[in-house]
């Protein structure tokens, strides 16, 4: 009797496992993925933008140097059970200031893989070794993926006489020292246009 019951249980488990293995994942929504891809590509920096002059609250000027500007697209990174495929998009740029100990890096990523998604990651490093901080904005949820910064979208943002249609404002929560970066403004199509320190000192692009 016990053997018969055991066999029934084993057969039932095999049926469940077989059924589970036959369940298909949802097909990729290609039009929606293409829409999201088009959106994040608009945040890539225009080819016409190069090194720029920044000025702080004390009127001190220096150069905001761009480097390692790169973008590429890999096809057919993910394939669903329906035979549809989609790729991954990457964009990256690095910034250095001519004499302030700052290094900023921006990475934009878009992918059909759900755990990757569509996001923009900002990393700020004080090259004197004081701090390294980063935060990631999720374009799908329209919020930060972590809790060390508040990221908001600012429409029609004006700085130094220039109007930007859309800007991501990163406000870090763990800025304790006076010269740590507190906020960074990244404009769609233009890149970093403004940042400020915990002590209130602001750096903006010069309009000269």
């Amino acid at each position: 009797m016990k053997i018969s019951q055991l066999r029934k249980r084993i057969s039932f488990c095999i049926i469940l496992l077989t059924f589970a293995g036959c369940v298909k994942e949802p097909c990729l929504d290609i039009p929606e993925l293409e829409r999201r891809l088009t959106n994040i590509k608009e945040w890539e920096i225009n080819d016409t933008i190069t090194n720029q002059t920044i000025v702080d609250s004390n009127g001190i000027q220096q150069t905001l140097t761009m480097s390692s500007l790169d973008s590429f697209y890999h096809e057919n990174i993910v394939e669903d059970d329906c035979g549809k495929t989609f790729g991954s998009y990457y964009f990256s740029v690095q910034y250095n200031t001519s004499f302030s100990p700052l290094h900023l890096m921006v990475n934009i990523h878009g992918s059909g893989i759900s755990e990757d998604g569509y996001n923009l990651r900002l990393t700020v490093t004080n090259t004197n070794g004081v701090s390294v901080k980063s935060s990631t904005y999720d374009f799908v949820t329209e919020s930060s993926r972590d809790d060390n910064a508040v990221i908001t979208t600012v429409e029609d943002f004006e700085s130094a006489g220039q109007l930007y249609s859309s800007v991501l404002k990163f406000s870090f929560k763990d800025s304790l020292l006076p010269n740590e970066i507190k906020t960074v403004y990244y404009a769609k199509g233009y890149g970093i246009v403004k940042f400020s320190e915990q002590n209130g000192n602001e750096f903006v692009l010069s309009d000269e």
Side-chain angles (χ1 to χ4, degrees):
M1 182 69 177
K2 291 183 178 180
I3 296 176
S4 177
Q5 290 179 345
L6 179 61
R7 287 176 177 174
K8 288 181 180 179
R9 289 177 181 177
I10 293 175
S11 298
F12 180 70
C13 290
I14 292 175
I15 292 173
L16 287 179
L17 291 173
T18 302
F19 177 75
C22 294
V23 174
K24 291 186 177 181
E25 296 181 351
C27 296
L28 293 172
D29 187 345
I30 300 300
E32 176 61 18
L33 294 177
E34 291 286 1
R35 185 191 66 79
R36 294 176 181 177
L37 180 62
T38 300
N39 176 50
I40 64 167
K41 282 186 174 182
E42 293 177 353
W43 290 87
E44 183 177 322
I45 298 174
N46 298 330
D47 294 338
T48 57
I49 297 177
T50 57
N51 298 342
Q52 300 172 87
T53 300
I54 56 173
V55 57
D56 69 6
S57 300
N58 301 308
I60 300 175
Q61 293 187 348
Q62 56 182 310
T63 302
L64 184 64
T65 305
M66 292 173 52
S67 63
S68 302
L69 190 68
D70 190 24
S71 66
F72 52 90
Y73 180 79
H74 289 303
E75 295 184 355
N76 304 331
I77 294 297
V78 58
E79 181 177 1
D80 63 16
D81 293 330
C82 306
K84 297 179 180 179
T85 61
F86 200 75
S88 288
Y89 166 80
Y90 297 89
F91 170 82
S92 64
V93 62
Q94 298 185 38
Y95 294 88
N96 287 284
T97 52
S98 53
F99 55 83
S100 293
L102 292 175
H103 176 265
L104 304 99
M105 182 168 61
V106 176
N107 294 289
I108 301 175
H109 179 220
S111 171
I113 302 175
S114 58
E115 57 265 31
D116 292 338
Y118 295 79
N119 58 78
L120 186 151
R121 182 175 182 83
L122 169 70
T123 303
V124 181
T125 303
N126 186 311
T127 54
N128 280 346
V130 174
S131 67
V132 178
K133 57 184 68 176
S134 64
S135 189
T136 302
Y137 179 78
D138 191 313
F139 285 99
V140 178
T141 63
E142 299 183 343
S143 62
S144 175
R145 284 191 171 185
D146 34 64
D147 59 3
N148 62 327
V150 175
I151 309 174
T152 54
T153 303
V154 183
E155 304 297 335
D156 297 327
F157 176 76
E158 186 173 357
S159 177
Q162 176 70 42
L163 184 65
Y164 303 96
S165 63
S166 189
V167 168
L168 289 179
K169 178 184 178 182
F170 290 77
S171 300
F172 290 99
K173 300 178 182 179
D174 58 349
S175 301
L176 302 176
L177 299 178
N179 64 339
E180 278 194 72
I181 295 299
K182 174 66 175 178
T183 58
V184 179
Y185 298 79
Y186 183 95
K188 179 188 293 186
Y190 292 88
I192 293 176
V193 296
K194 179 181 178 180
F195 52 92
S196 62
E197 297 175 329
Q198 179 66 26
N199 58 18
N201 188 24
E202 294 185 341
F203 298 78
V204 299
L205 297 181
S206 174
D207 58 353
E208 296 181 355

